[in-house]
Amino acid sequence: MRAQVQHGFASGADVRIVDVPVPVPGTGEVVIEVQACSLNRLDLLQQEAPLVRGFSVPHIAGLDVAGTVVRHGADVGAGGPAIGDTVIVNPVSSCGQCANCRAGFDPYCSDVRSIGSTRDGGFAEFVAVPAASCHAVPAGLDEIQAACLPVAYATAWRALVTAGGVAPGEWVLVNAATSGVSTALVQLAIAHGARVIGTAGGAAKIDHALGLGCEFVVDHYDDDVVARVMEWTGGRGVDLVVDHVGPALFEASIAALRPEGRMVFCGTTTGTDIEMSLPSVYHWGKSLIGSGGYSDDEFTEMLAFVEHHALEPVIDSVWPFDRIGDAQARMEAGRFFGKIVVTFESHGAVASSNGRMV
Ligand SMILES: [Zn+2]
């Protein structure tokens, strides 16, 4: 089969499409004929250095897989996906045996496995995955749209719903509202009945954020985020902030909260370390809440919610697999909005209504 295989790292990285054997499913696994796989920043970061424990080369990246089950390994029970089923895959699976898993903290599994990170992923014609990681595609979505959901929407679900406890009518501030995770955050928050204020850098991204349904968008480069939030919320502040930007907007995010408001943080786009005033949080009864991995139950809840609310992921562009290098260059250049997807046209993937073949 054809696959994009990585050897080496950084300047020594050799990443190209080659012929490799079709994977053989292990016990409890199935083989999926990949129809679509969307890109994530991690794909590129892992070409620079092994970021996740258990990552090794040669490696096939691709975390967000949608495709057709074509082969069962041993012990795929009746509860598993049938041959011919179209599925999307939760890329993350926990071991079920470590201390955290046994205590019910499976998102914090010490032996967590990820398709496209600690094992081969979907930038290939076929991929072997645990049968238990396969989920039905939400009704109304095609495979290309489905391949946009796993990482971005599950990460957003964890932050907004589980950690943030978003409620109808609340004001939610989403920083860097046009990124992959934030786009999902904005859609999910609005579908929960929240009112969303976004931040974005520059006129084009502000337009994109307004198009997503943000009621207001403040330019986080040229404007005063806190002043605008206070103006738009009648001096009250937002109930909830969800931030993956990190240091650049951390202090402003805390200041933009109402008394007893919650700030969920889940990323380090602008760095990992901050200096902050403790009274700016405790004096006002505010909560800082970290959000990391998600459970398979949360993944399932997210899919049901997406189906119920007929949410459609925003797609930047769709590329035939042979041009995956061009797709990755587009991500690297940074001037994209929505998910970038590669497809295997010969496997029956079709361009979705809001995407485009290039
Ligand atoms: Zn575990």
Side-chain angles (χ1 to χ4, degrees):
M1 68 170 185
R2 289 176 302 149
Q4 188 195 45
V5 179
Q6 171 188 351
H7 290 269
F9 295 98
S11 59
D14 175 10
V15 185
R16 59 179 135 155
I17 295 175
V18 295
D19 275 316
V20 295
V22 173
V24 175
T27 299
E29 294 184 351
V30 297
V31 171
I32 291 175
E33 184 180 50
V34 179
Q35 292 183 347
C37 187
S38 75
L39 277 59
N40 289 279
R41 287 242 171 249
L42 186 63
D43 310 335
L44 301 176
L45 295 173
Q46 287 179 157
Q47 293 178 9
E48 296 301 311
L51 297 176
V52 179
R53 195 167 64 88
F55 183 93
S56 61
V57 290
H59 175 67
I60 300 170
L63 297 144
D64 287 336
V65 175
T68 308
V69 177
V70 293
R71 188 177 170 191
H72 279 177
D75 291 340
V76 174
I83 302 290
D85 280 359
T86 301
V87 296
I88 63 171
V89 181
N90 177 1
V92 181
S93 55
S94 50
C95 76
Q97 292 163 4
C98 71
N100 282 343
C101 282
R102 290 199 312 273
F105 297 120
D106 48 293
Y108 312 99
C109 175
S110 59
D111 192 23
V112 66
R113 304 291 169 89
S114 301
I115 294 152
S117 184
T118 65
R119 55 183 292 167
D120 285 340
F123 294 153
E125 290 186 87
F126 298 91
V127 59
V129 305
S133 299
C134 295
H135 294 257
V137 172
L141 297 187
D142 63 31
E143 296 83 359
I144 292 172
Q145 293 170 310
C148 298
L149 295 177
V151 171
Y153 281 74
T155 301
W157 182 269
R158 173 77 180 190
L160 181 78
V161 180
T162 310
V166 67
E170 287 195 318
W171 279 106
V172 178
L173 175 66
V174 177
N175 290 333
T178 62
S179 76
V181 171
S182 289
T183 300
L185 283 167
V186 172
Q187 288 184 334
L188 292 170
I190 292 169
H192 274 90
R195 306 177 68 181
V196 179
I197 297 172
T199 83
K205 288 185 176 177
I206 288 174
D207 282 347
H208 283 314
L210 290 168
L212 283 172
C214 292
E215 284 188 44
F216 302 102
V217 182
V218 53
D219 190 323
H220 55 223
Y221 292 145
D222 291 340
D223 206 346
D224 183 332
V225 171
V226 180
R228 291 290 85 72
V229 166
M230 289 303 165
E231 177 188 331
W232 293 329
T233 59
R236 179 176 174 275
V238 295
D239 302 281
L240 174 65
V241 178
V242 185
D243 174 84
H244 68 80
V245 172
L249 288 172
F250 212 87
E251 201 175 357
S253 297
I254 292 170
L257 284 173
R258 65 161 166 82
E260 299 187 358
R262 299 101 65 202
M263 175 173 171
V264 175
F265 55 108
C266 57
T268 54
T269 309
T270 61
T272 58
D273 300 311
I274 59 159
E275 215 171 275
M276 60 176 278
S277 152
L278 298 179
S280 73
V281 177
Y282 75 70
H283 180 79
W284 302 100
K286 297 175 179 177
S287 300
L288 299 181
I289 306 164
S291 180
Y294 57 85
S295 68
D296 199 62
D297 285 346
E298 289 170 300
F299 193 87
T300 304
E301 290 167 14
M302 175 275 289
L303 293 179
F305 187 90
V306 165
E307 179 172 306
H308 181 73
H309 291 272
L311 300 184
E312 290 190 4
V314 179
I315 295 174
D316 173 80
S317 52
V318 182
W319 303 74
F321 178 68
D322 288 341
R323 293 188 61 196
I324 186 172
D326 293 329
Q328 289 165 332
R330 181 170 175 81
M331 171 163 270
E332 186 95 60
R335 282 189 290 279
F336 62 97
F337 172 58
K339 292 293 278 182
I340 300 171
V341 189
V342 293
T343 66
F344 291 87
E345 292 160 88
S346 59
H347 293 182
V350 293
S352 55
S353 54
N354 64 347
R356 59 194 163 90
M357 297 299 290
V358 292

